[in-house]
Amino acid sequence: MGMYDRILVPTDGSDGVERAVRHAVDLAVQHGATVHALYVVNSASYAGMPMESSWEGIDEMLRGDAEDAVSLVEGLGDDYDVPVETAVIDGSPSREIVRYAEDNDCDLIVMGTHGRGGIDRLLLGSVAETVVRSSTVPVLTVRVGDAT
């Protein structure tokens, strides 16, 4: 048994997140751990859309993106013989990431951060920053994009 048995890697399916996923898989190989791939559907992000929009269509699209994102993690896990458990849940990303990690006895959260600073961080917030501040589980952040 290694230092890490269960490693959580939240994913949003973006290109840059693959770097964080690779870190999680590498750590899982070294520690004989299972990777938990989590996609949080942030339904609040489309709550302000006009009512004539098809909620069902939007939900299907978001769930399709979520399944694609966790499938990519599964594929990387398969490449290295790392077991991967997947989950797609609804809610506030930072809150649900912390909750999932604690509820599933994860030993580490590995997540990407875009490294935004200044006004961008103030206006956009940072899921990674919120997770780091509120998680009882250690968090490893991986820079996945250029600072803007």
Side-chain angles (χ1 to χ4, degrees):
M1 227 168 168
M3 181 175 187
Y4 304 120
D5 295 320
R6 288 168 298 284
I7 299 171
L8 172 60
V9 62
T11 180
D12 62 4
S14 65
D15 291 336
V17 164
E18 185 176 336
R19 187 162 186 235
V21 171
R22 288 188 181 281
H23 275 278
V25 170
D26 286 346
L27 284 168
V29 167
Q30 293 172 22
H31 294 272
T34 298
V35 169
H36 290 250
L38 175 65
Y39 187 106
V40 180
V41 177
N42 187 0
S43 48
S45 65
Y46 62 92
M49 295 187 77
M51 288 306 288
E52 60 268 9
S53 296
S54 168
W55 291 107
E56 196 171 293
I58 293 169
D59 190 58
E60 284 176 22
M61 181 188 70
L62 289 172
R63 297 217 178 270
D65 290 348
E67 291 302 327
D68 290 346
V70 296
S71 290
L72 286 172
V73 179
E74 279 184 310
L76 265 173
D78 287 346
D79 290 347
Y80 293 92
D81 244 2
V82 168
V84 176
E85 294 184 19
T86 65
V88 175
I89 57 178
D90 293 305
S92 162
S94 54
R95 186 176 313 125
E96 295 306 324
I97 291 166
V98 170
R99 180 178 298 147
Y100 183 95
E102 292 172 352
D103 289 351
N104 290 277
D105 295 321
C106 293
D107 304 298
L108 180 68
I109 302 169
V110 177
M111 62 187 305
T113 181
H114 293 282
R116 290 186 184 98
I119 194 73
D120 283 342
R121 193 179 89 218
L122 179 65
L123 294 175
L124 300 173
S126 168
V127 172
E129 182 179 4
T130 303
V131 170
V132 166
R133 282 190 317 217
S134 57
S135 178
T136 60
V137 175
V139 181
L140 170 65
T141 59
V142 178
R143 188 78 167 261
V144 296
D146 296 330
T148 54

